[in-house]
Amino acid sequence: MLRQIKPKNARSKRELAKREPLSHENPKTALFLRYTTSSPLVNHLLTDLCVLKSPFSLRFNKKNPIHPFEDASSFEFFSQKNDASLILFASHSKKRPHCLTWVRCFGGQVLDMMEVYVVHDLARTLIQFKGDKCKVGVKPMLSFSGSQFESPVANQYTLAKSMFIDFFRGGETQTIDVEGLQLLISFFVGEDGPEGQSAHIHMRCWKIVTKRSGQKVPRVEVEEIGPRMDFRVGRIKEADETLRKEAMKRTKGSEAKPKKNIETDTVGDKIGRIHLGKQDLAELQTRKMKGLKGLKRARDEHTDSGGDNDSTTVRKEKERSVARTKKPRLAQ
């Protein structure tokens, strides 16, 4: 359970009331920090990711001697002080070169962490790509390709997918402007290597450009704008089960009430179910045939006569109707 703090005065009570969970939370703010030693590459990537996350981003330039997987109390302090639930920490060492640590917090406590190591030779920063960039505050579209992202068993790639969705999703919107769909961030992961080497995750950022096509529908093209990163997942820290349940709770009334006989499939289409009464097949309208009129009349007479077992009349009427339907032969 989370630690409960009792207010000592009215001021602290008001401050704690602001930090209480809301039915509709504000967009998550990301805090960007760096270690005492960090390479120029991760410093540039930290700046580029801060630009992609803006305006919900906050960067500190001061160096911080923090060891995340040994003591994360500094992250909890920064999270509470700046009301930031996302932290990106850059560091560099001989054992863990060009390292980026992604941290999620809940209630002032570290929820989970993931460490990635960027491949230096394949990385490109935002400045190295020429051309126009996306506007600040654009809500990106996210694309995840690879079977390991969809694994039913929780692993490092499912954690990475959840972490990236939380980091780049931004605020919730009820309406979508097509002109605002300018940024696409794609993540691709292949299969593991033959010697058990973990597959790299490839991150690419594209700008969606619409051009004239001579028709009503414009021609859509994509241009890479950076940053470009290839990295492998290192150490991870999964969330505690009790803290995860607290983070996944929803307030009563926030969920939409289910409507009777209305369902929504995986694609998002609404499916309705209609209940009908019992159908009487005797009243079903079928194709009418002249040859069956005599047979029907004979059956009606047989029913009116009391339902005796004599079926001679029915048989004669049937033979008579069959004879009428036969075509006469042509004379030779």
Side-chain angles (χ1 to χ4, degrees):
M1 294 294 292
L2 298 178
R3 184 169 59 94
Q4 300 293 334
I5 303 176
K6 294 183 179 181
K8 296 182 179 180
N9 49 39
R11 180 183 176 184
S12 60
K13 185 178 181 180
R14 289 193 299 268
E15 188 65 27
L16 291 175
K18 294 179 182 179
R19 300 181 182 179
E20 290 181 355
L22 304 174
S23 57
H24 297 282
E25 293 288 347
N26 300 326
K28 296 183 178 181
T29 303
L31 190 62
F32 295 83
L33 307 172
R34 62 173 181 165
Y35 186 55
T36 53
T37 56
S38 58
S39 63
L41 174 62
V42 292
N43 288 337
H44 288 306
L45 293 177
L46 204 68
T47 304
D48 296 345
L49 293 173
C50 184
V51 171
L52 290 179
K53 182 63 179 175
S54 61
F56 307 111
S57 60
L58 183 63
R59 183 179 180 183
F60 290 168
N61 293 322
K62 185 179 178 180
K63 299 179 181 180
N64 300 276
I66 303 174
H67 300 275
F69 289 87
E70 298 176 5
D71 184 14
S73 58
S74 298
F75 285 159
E76 295 177 352
F77 170 76
F78 283 123
S79 176
Q80 292 180 358
K81 193 72 174 178
N82 301 279
D83 193 19
S85 58
L86 301 171
I87 299 175
L88 186 59
F89 185 68
S91 61
H92 175 73
S93 63
K94 185 177 180 180
K95 187 176 182 181
R96 298 181 178 87
H98 314 294
C99 177
L100 291 174
T101 305
W102 306 71
V103 185
R104 280 191 297 190
C105 299
F106 173 74
Q109 299 183 24
V110 172
L111 182 66
D112 50 8
M113 290 188 293
M114 179 186 65
E115 204 173 54
V116 299
Y117 308 127
V118 181
V119 181
H120 181 272
D121 299 334
L122 302 177
R124 297 291 183 273
T125 60
L126 195 67
I127 305 176
Q128 294 176 328
F129 289 91
K130 298 181 180 180
D132 297 334
K133 310 301 180 183
C134 294
K135 298 180 180 179
V136 177
V138 172
K139 189 176 177 66
M141 295 181 290
L142 303 179
S143 172
F144 293 89
S145 303
S147 58
Q148 302 208 52
F149 282 135
E150 307 297 334
S151 175
V153 181
N155 55 22
Q156 55 186 358
Y157 298 104
T158 57
L159 176 63
K161 179 181 178 180
S162 175
M163 194 82 71
F164 294 147
I165 290 176
D166 254 1
F167 191 85
F168 292 107
R169 65 180 300 178
E172 295 184 0
T173 57
Q174 301 296 332
T175 57
I176 298 177
D177 186 7
V178 180
E179 294 295 331
L181 301 178
Q182 300 178 0
L183 179 60
L184 171 65
I185 304 177
S186 63
F187 298 91
F188 170 75
V189 61
E191 300 295 333
D192 293 338
E195 299 180 358
Q197 298 177 352
S198 59
H200 285 198
I201 299 177
H202 310 275
M203 175 184 171
R204 302 291 185 269
C205 298
W206 310 86
K207 181 183 179 182
I208 299 176
V209 183
T210 55
K211 297 183 178 181
R212 293 182 179 180
S213 61
Q215 300 177 357
K216 291 184 179 180
V217 181
R219 188 175 77 255
V220 179
E221 296 182 359
V222 291
E223 299 176 358
E224 191 173 1
I225 60 173
R228 178 196 299 176
M229 286 190 295
D230 292 352
F231 47 81
R232 63 182 180 88
V233 181
R235 296 179 295 177
I236 60 174
K237 176 185 178 299
E238 296 182 352
D240 183 64
E241 191 63 27
T242 305
L243 192 59
R244 179 188 291 275
K245 289 182 180 180
E246 291 286 339
M248 297 294 289
K249 277 185 178 180
R250 290 188 177 183
T251 57
K252 294 182 179 180
S254 60
E255 299 181 356
K257 294 183 179 180
K259 296 183 180 180
K260 191 175 182 181
N261 300 326
I262 296 178
E263 299 176 355
T264 305
D265 58 3
T266 55
V267 184
D269 297 333
K270 188 179 292 185
I271 301 174
R273 184 179 302 171
I274 301 176
H275 295 275
L276 300 175
K278 186 177 181 181
Q279 295 182 354
D280 188 4
L281 299 180
E283 299 178 357
L284 185 65
Q285 180 66 41
T286 57
R287 185 178 178 183
K288 296 180 180 180
M289 296 180 62
K290 293 182 179 180
L292 299 178
K293 287 184 178 180
L295 182 60
K296 183 179 179 181
R297 185 170 58 253
R299 288 178 179 174
D300 294 341
E301 292 176 358
H302 176 67
T303 304
D304 296 340
S305 62
D308 52 352
N309 295 328
D310 187 14
S311 60
T312 306
T313 308
V314 178
R315 187 173 64 255
K316 288 181 179 181
E317 289 291 340
K318 186 176 181 180
E319 292 174 357
R320 204 177 296 119
S321 63
V322 172
R324 282 199 299 267
T325 56
K326 289 183 178 180
K327 295 181 179 179
R329 296 182 180 180
L330 296 177
Q332 295 181 356

